[in-house]
């Protein structure tokens, strides 16, 4: 019987990927507390995120549509964040924040849904990931409809800034999304290290 405490055979790829993902999650959470640019460290963190999630998808099965979709959205989010770090025109900052947040959330959502199709240990993390990503995604949609939830989570400021110049994007919503990803990354790294990403063995 598969449980969170029970480990399976772990590949070298999984060990390396888990280590990189844990480091990336730690740096993501750490940097979310700083408003300073810290460009070199942020770029290194994004490189670690891309490397770690690639290893993670290899273990989960890159041929699976949900895993591929998650990696595509994560890649777009990383590309957008790199451009933000290198510098974009002030009038476009809000749009970049919106794109980065949305695609990072979608990556977590698709990978979490993929977890729901696996063994019990991953189903638990999948349920948590879906719950944590669906609410902000709903807030993005709700903010377009002028629903109060968008204002509470700080989405309205990003959407207003995305409309064009004259508004300043509140990084609060982006910080929330990055912390969700960081916490998700910690839990995923631990399960990856324990060897739970391999498909469960079918009983003979």
């Amino acid at each position: 019987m598969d449980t969170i405490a029970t480990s399976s055979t772990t590949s070298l790829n999984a060990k390396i990927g888990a280590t990189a993902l844990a480091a990336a999650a730690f740096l993501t959470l750490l940097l979310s507390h700083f408003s300073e640019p810290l460009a070199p460290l942020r770029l290194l963190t994004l490189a670690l995120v891309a490397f770690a999630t690639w290893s993670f998808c290899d273990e989960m099965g890159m041929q699976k549509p949900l895993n591929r979709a998650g990696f595509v959205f994560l890649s777009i989010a990383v590309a957008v964040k790199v451009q933000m770090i290198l510098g974009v025109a002030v009038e476009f900052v809000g749009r970049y924040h919106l794109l980065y947040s949305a695609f990072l959330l979608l990556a977590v959502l698709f990978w979490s849904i993929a977890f729901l199709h696996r063994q019990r240990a991953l189903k638990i993390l999948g349920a948590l990931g879906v719950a944590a990503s669906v609410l902000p995604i709903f807030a993005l949609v709700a903010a377009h409809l002028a629903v109060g939830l968008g204002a509470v989570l700080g989405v309205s400021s990003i959407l207003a800034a995305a409309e064009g110049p004259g508004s300043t994007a509140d990084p609060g919503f982006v910080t929330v999304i990055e912390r969700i990803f960081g916490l998700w990354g910690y839990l995923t790294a631990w399960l990856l290290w324990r060897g739970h990403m391999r498909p469960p063995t079918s009983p003979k």
Side-chain angles (χ1 to χ4, degrees):
M1 180 177 180
D2 177 59
T3 64
I4 295 181
T6 303
S7 63
S8 306
T9 303
T10 309
S11 67
L12 177 61
N13 177 65
K15 293 282 190 182
I16 295 174
T19 302
L21 186 55
F26 171 76
L27 288 171
T28 298
L29 290 171
L30 178 66
L31 290 171
S32 71
H33 292 86
F34 295 92
S35 58
E36 292 78 6
L38 301 175
L41 189 55
R42 293 186 189 277
L43 290 172
L44 173 62
T45 300
L46 291 174
L48 274 175
V49 167
F51 174 81
T53 52
W54 192 345
S55 298
F56 156 74
C57 286
D58 280 342
E59 291 298 305
M60 285 285 288
M62 189 65 90
Q63 75 276 12
K64 302 290 186 180
L66 287 171
N67 299 326
R68 286 203 306 268
F71 189 76
V72 167
F73 284 121
L74 187 280
S75 299
I76 295 173
V78 167
V80 171
K81 185 68 172 181
V82 168
Q83 287 188 282
M84 290 171 61
I85 293 171
L86 296 179
V88 296
V90 175
E91 60 267 27
F92 298 128
V93 170
R95 297 176 185 178
Y96 276 80
H97 276 148
L98 180 59
L99 283 175
Y100 171 66
S101 302
F103 283 115
L104 193 59
L105 277 174
L106 286 171
V108 173
L109 177 61
F110 277 107
W111 285 329
S112 297
I113 294 174
F115 285 163
L116 295 177
H117 295 86
R118 307 298 282 271
Q119 57 266 44
R120 180 175 178 273
L122 296 184
K123 286 182 187 294
I124 296 173
L125 177 56
L128 292 173
V130 169
S133 56
V134 164
L135 180 59
I137 290 174
F138 173 75
L140 284 172
V141 176
H144 278 288
L145 302 176
V147 176
L149 181 60
V152 172
L153 293 180
V155 185
S156 299
S157 174
I158 289 182
L159 293 176
E163 294 298 327
S167 299
T168 302
D170 180 2
F173 182 72
V174 178
T175 299
V176 170
I177 303 310
E178 288 183 330
R179 289 177 182 173
I180 288 174
F181 177 78
L183 293 173
W184 179 90
Y186 265 137
L187 294 172
T188 301
W190 185 71
L191 290 172
L192 185 58
W193 180 272
R194 299 287 293 176
H196 289 286
M197 297 302 166
R198 292 288 185 180
T201 304
S202 301
K204 295 183 179 179

